[in-house]
């Protein structure tokens, strides 16, 4: 009995060496190891290496990426592949101020004086990665933690319903503004509106490099009295 087992094992080894392919639940393996079913890896998944060198199991947070046919796949970080990583998603769901209005300049073209501008505050933070930036929901100020390029895409709306007849026509200006180290406009939009305009909206986008510790915000103003209503923003980090 033992001799038969040894003979079968020897024949099996010879079969593997001759065919150089093993099929599990398949009689026609297409590769060195062909598994027709699920695969469970309890510990490391090593790729690369050779008959004398152990393959690489990668580092925490890395993903396995194809290196083309005939080549071993490699472990890489998402950041190394120049992806846009979404680091902040926020919404403004309220109207501010809830009663009354911010005072406009009541002159056209719109006055650039900062006292007529208001910061657009996102009262709901759906997602924030504090390894990249932080957000103050009281001041509406973003502070950069990780230096790099940031893609800032806000959507802002204005509510003009409280203005009386004859006091709604005017000019709206929204902008993405770096606050420190120096007050700088990164992107802006200016639109003119006729009488009995009760609401308006602005879309902006800007990609800029920020150093750690620098701050930015979304600012809005209108020539007539105004309130800031619902909107949203998403900010992505452009990996190096």
């Amino acid at each position: 009995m033992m001799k038969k087992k040894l003979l079968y094992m020897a024949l099996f080894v010879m079969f593997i060496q001759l065919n150089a392919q093993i099929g599990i639940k398949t009689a026609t393996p297409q590769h060195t190891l062909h598994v027709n079913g699920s695969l469970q890896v309890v510990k490391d998944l090593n790729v690369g290496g050779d008959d004398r060198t152990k393959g690489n199991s990668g580092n925490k947070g890395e993903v396995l990426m194809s290196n083309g046919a005939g080549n071993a796949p490699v472990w890489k970080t998402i950041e190394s592949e120049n992806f846009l990583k979404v680091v902040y998603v926020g919404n403004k769901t309220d109207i501010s101020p809830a009663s009354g209005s911010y005072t406009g300049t009541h002159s056209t073209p719109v006055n650039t004086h900062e006292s007529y501008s208001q910061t657009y505050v996102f009262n709901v933070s759906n997602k924030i990665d504090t390894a990249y930036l932080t957000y103050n929901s009281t001041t509406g100020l973003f502070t950069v933690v990780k230096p790099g390029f940031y893609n800032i895409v806000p959507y802002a709306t204005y509510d003009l319903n409280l203005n009386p007849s004859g006091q709604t026509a005017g000019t709206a200006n929204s902008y993405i503004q770096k606050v420190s180290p120096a007050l700088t406009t990164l992107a802006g939009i200016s639109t003119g509106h006729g009488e009995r305009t009760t609401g308006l909206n602005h879309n902006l986008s800007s990609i800029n490099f920020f150093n750690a510790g620098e701050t930015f915000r979304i600012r809005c103003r209108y020539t007539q009295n105004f309130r800031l209503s619902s909107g949203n923003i998403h900010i992505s980090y452009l990996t190096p």
Side-chain angles (χ1 to χ4, degrees):
M1 190 69 176
M2 181 60 69
K3 289 182 179 180
K4 285 186 178 181
K5 287 184 178 180
L6 291 174
L7 178 60
Y8 291 150
M9 291 175 64
L11 291 173
F12 179 70
V13 171
M14 288 175 64
F15 175 80
I16 293 175
Q17 290 176 341
L18 289 172
N19 288 272
Q21 292 178 326
I22 301 175
I24 299 178
K25 290 189 176 181
T26 176
T28 57
Q30 302 300 305
H31 291 279
T32 305
L33 175 62
H34 185 163
V35 180
N36 181 19
S38 58
L39 175 66
Q40 178 175 333
V41 180
V42 177
K43 293 187 178 180
D44 290 351
L45 176 61
N46 300 91
V47 296
D50 52 36
D51 56 348
R52 296 186 178 183
T53 306
K54 182 181 178 181
N56 186 0
S57 60
N59 298 307
K60 184 178 180 180
E62 292 182 330
V63 295
L64 193 60
M65 188 170 296
S66 172
N67 210 14
N71 300 308
V74 292
W75 296 100
K76 289 188 176 183
T77 61
I78 292 178
E79 287 78 6
S80 68
E81 297 307 298
N82 291 321
F83 290 117
L84 279 174
K85 176 181 173 63
V86 177
V87 296
Y88 183 81
V89 177
N91 283 87
K92 179 176 173 59
T93 60
D94 59 356
I95 295 180
S96 180
S99 60
S101 298
Y102 296 122
T103 301
T105 64
H106 300 286
S107 64
T108 301
V110 64
N111 194 311
T112 58
H113 197 278
E114 271 295 310
S115 62
Y116 294 104
S117 299
Q118 296 294 330
T119 299
Y120 203 83
V121 177
F122 302 95
N123 60 297
V124 179
S125 291
N126 300 295
K127 173 182 179 178
I128 183 167
D129 191 331
T130 55
Y132 291 82
L133 53 75
T134 60
Y135 181 63
N136 187 320
S137 59
T138 300
T139 64
L141 205 64
F142 293 92
T143 301
V144 173
V145 175
K146 183 174 181 176
F149 285 93
Y150 286 82
N151 183 27
I152 307 164
V153 185
Y155 169 74
T157 67
Y158 296 65
D159 182 282
L160 310 175
N161 281 291
L162 295 184
N163 284 322
S165 180
Q167 295 184 29
T168 57
T171 303
N173 186 280
S174 302
Y175 50 105
I176 303 170
Q177 181 185 67
K178 181 186 286 188
V179 179
S180 66
L183 200 61
T184 309
T185 297
L186 304 177
I189 182 172
S190 181
T191 57
H193 303 274
E195 177 58 23
R196 296 322 305 152
T197 299
T198 57
L200 59 101
N201 58 77
H202 281 166
N203 284 292
L204 294 97
S205 179
S206 176
I207 296 180
N208 293 92
F209 183 86
F210 290 89
N211 291 302
E214 293 184 340
T215 59
F216 62 90
R217 63 188 176 186
I218 312 304
R219 296 284 277 180
C220 302
R221 59 174 172 255
Y222 192 61
T223 50
Q224 304 291 355
N225 295 348
F226 66 96
R227 299 188 296 174
L228 297 176
S229 51
S230 60
N232 56 71
I233 187 173
H234 72 267
I235 302 172
S236 302
Y237 180 82
L238 180 60
T239 59

